Amino acid sequence: MHTLITGGAGFIGSHLAEYLISQGDDVTVLDNLSTGRLANLRQLSRDPRLGFVEGDVRDTELVESLVAQADRVFHLAAAVGVHVILDDPLGSLRTNLHGTENVLASANRHETRVLLASTSEIYGKNTADRLHENSDRILGSPLLSRWTYAAAKGIDEAFAHAYWRKHDLQVSIVRLFNTVGPRQTGRYGMVVPRLVRQALNDEPLTVYGDGEQTRCFSYVGDVVPALVAVEEHPDSAGRAFNLGGAQEISIKALAEQIIDVTGSRSIIEHIPYDQAYGEGYEDMRRRVPDNTAANELVGFVPKTSVRRIIELVAQAMLRDQTDRAGGLGSTPEGAGATAEVTHRTLAAEGSAS
């Protein structure tokens, strides 16, 4: 099986590449390295089954040539992260819309299967107890760049569904809820790695707003096999599936747990949204997935607890810093951590997930 992963040098994409190669696939990664990093693929750098192409999903000819060689495509390439979206809404729209249509059009011409990675962001401000795949989308004003990502990903899904209906393109959709794990950075607004890095440096943990907003975090090691299982299932085409964590937690409680797990001397500092993101930013008070559809289709059950996710992210950051100190050339999010922190033993290291 030859698999193309767009955005494969990113956090999720690199874990997916490793998993697919371990299953016997040949994998080609297409990434423009705007948010992805070659360092994410370093464990595969000597594997002949991995090919890397630096390029953009908006490049029609390049996408066409790569899709023509693939048996299936995992389309993960997108402008991601709150800061990326807010700083360049026009570029984000072009990447997320034109890039996705390029992939779908090429896949249709070559009858290539596709899995489209979408997001829980499409539900917007819907705070229902459990968001299922047919839940209403409640978005803010399209003039607020906060909502451009949600709007674009919703249109991406509409494109995919239209290709399935009109051309019988075998395309399935997954909506990811706050996927977390090693290699994810807080550079673009991802909360867990940002807070873990701050804790490892004994810096104040910056919690935006009152911290009572809640999320469900899912571990990348639980999500990646489910991505593949959904793509491979014959009944997944033309449908969308939530993939999210099972444990709802407030951001304030998350910060407290991070301090506890890392043994940090940090305090929690509340930052107003307008100071963090600029005037007019809107957040969601609650976002909880209903994973029933994915469970019924492929048996998806999120197994990794929030505490275990924190441990794994912190351990990875400390390992990366040790590698950097040894000259292996990685550039982890926690690069500023002190030598004392590098040798810190996590308070709950090795606890069950």
Side-chain angles (χ1 to χ4, degrees):
M1 179 78 73
H2 183 183
T3 299
L4 171 64
I5 306 175
T6 69
F11 154 57
I12 297 174
S14 61
H15 285 279
L16 176 61
E18 286 183 3
Y19 180 82
L20 290 173
I21 285 177
S22 76
Q23 300 299 302
D25 275 22
D26 293 315
V27 172
T28 298
V29 164
L30 171 64
D31 203 298
N32 66 3
L33 301 180
S34 58
T35 53
R37 300 184 304 154
L38 283 176
N40 288 340
L41 297 168
R42 63 183 177 182
Q43 294 189 37
L44 299 172
S45 61
R46 298 181 184 275
D47 197 311
R49 292 170 295 176
L50 176 71
F52 176 79
V53 177
E54 184 173 355
D56 199 297
V57 289
R58 292 174 293 182
D59 184 333
T60 303
E61 292 184 3
L62 176 60
V63 168
E64 180 78 14
S65 67
L66 294 176
V67 171
Q69 302 171 49
D71 298 302
R72 60 181 174 181
V73 180
F74 286 82
H75 179 44
L76 275 64
V80 296
V82 175
H83 292 298
V84 172
I85 306 303
L86 294 179
D87 292 345
D88 186 14
L90 183 57
S92 299
L93 283 168
R94 286 173 171 162
T95 295
N96 294 338
L97 293 174
H98 300 327
T100 295
E101 189 174 16
N102 272 346
V103 170
L104 293 171
S106 293
N108 184 56
R109 283 189 288 271
H110 296 284
E111 297 183 351
T112 306
R113 292 160 26 211
V114 181
L115 181 128
L116 171 67
S118 187
T119 171
S120 63
E121 286 283 313
I122 69 154
Y123 296 111
K125 294 185 282 187
N126 189 331
T127 57
D129 182 52
R130 295 277 169 181
L131 292 165
H132 58 81
E133 287 78 2
N134 291 322
S135 292
D136 290 338
R137 303 178 64 214
I138 304 175
L139 303 182
S141 168
L143 301 183
L144 292 176
S145 57
R146 169 68 183 83
W147 300 109
T148 58
Y149 179 62
K153 295 304 285 186
I155 294 171
D156 284 352
E157 289 194 20
F159 266 131
H161 193 258
Y163 269 97
W164 171 73
R165 288 194 65 181
K166 184 170 184 177
H167 300 293
D168 196 32
L169 177 64
Q170 296 301 289
V171 54
S172 29
I173 301 163
V174 292
R175 296 173 182 164
L176 304 179
F177 283 69
N178 297 95
T179 308
V180 183
R183 301 181 200 147
Q184 187 182 45
T185 76
R187 200 169 289 125
Y188 309 109
M190 285 65 174
V191 64
V192 172
R194 174 172 60 81
L195 295 180
V196 170
R197 177 189 59 79
Q198 291 170 339
L200 291 177
N201 286 319
D202 291 322
E203 299 169 355
L205 270 63
T206 49
V207 170
Y208 302 153
D210 61 11
E212 297 303 321
Q213 63 273 34
T214 63
R215 297 293 184 270
C216 292
F217 296 95
S218 51
Y219 182 56
V220 67
D222 294 335
V223 168
V224 162
L227 294 178
V228 178
V230 169
E231 191 281 326
E232 292 179 344
H233 199 287
D235 296 331
S236 67
R239 300 173 62 191
F241 299 89
N242 291 335
L243 295 178
Q247 180 182 351
E248 183 178 8
I249 187 171
S250 73
I251 302 304
K252 180 181 177 183
L254 172 71
E256 291 169 347
Q257 197 163 146
I258 287 172
I259 289 172
D260 180 53
V261 169
T262 59
S264 176
R265 295 186 290 270
S266 297
I267 61 170
I268 294 174
E269 180 180 341
H270 289 270
I271 304 294
Y273 281 115
D274 58 359
Q275 183 177 328
Y277 295 123
E279 187 176 354
Y281 179 82
E282 292 183 282
D283 198 9
M284 288 67 61
R285 297 301 292 175
R286 188 168 189 244
R287 185 169 288 160
V288 180
D290 183 337
N291 293 315
T292 301
N295 176 262
E296 291 178 348
L297 185 81
V298 298
F300 172 68
V301 177
K303 299 177 180 177
T304 309
S305 68
V306 170
R307 187 175 188 88
R308 183 60 178 151
I309 289 172
I310 294 167
E311 292 171 6
L312 292 165
V313 170
Q315 290 164 10
M317 283 187 179
L318 294 177
R319 280 197 305 270
D320 280 349
Q321 190 196 6
T322 300
D323 289 347
R324 203 173 77 96
L328 296 184
S330 65
T331 54
E333 180 71 14
T338 63
E340 176 188 355
V341 171
T342 302
H343 295 97
R344 173 182 290 153
T345 300
L346 298 181
E349 184 171 356
S351 69
S353 54

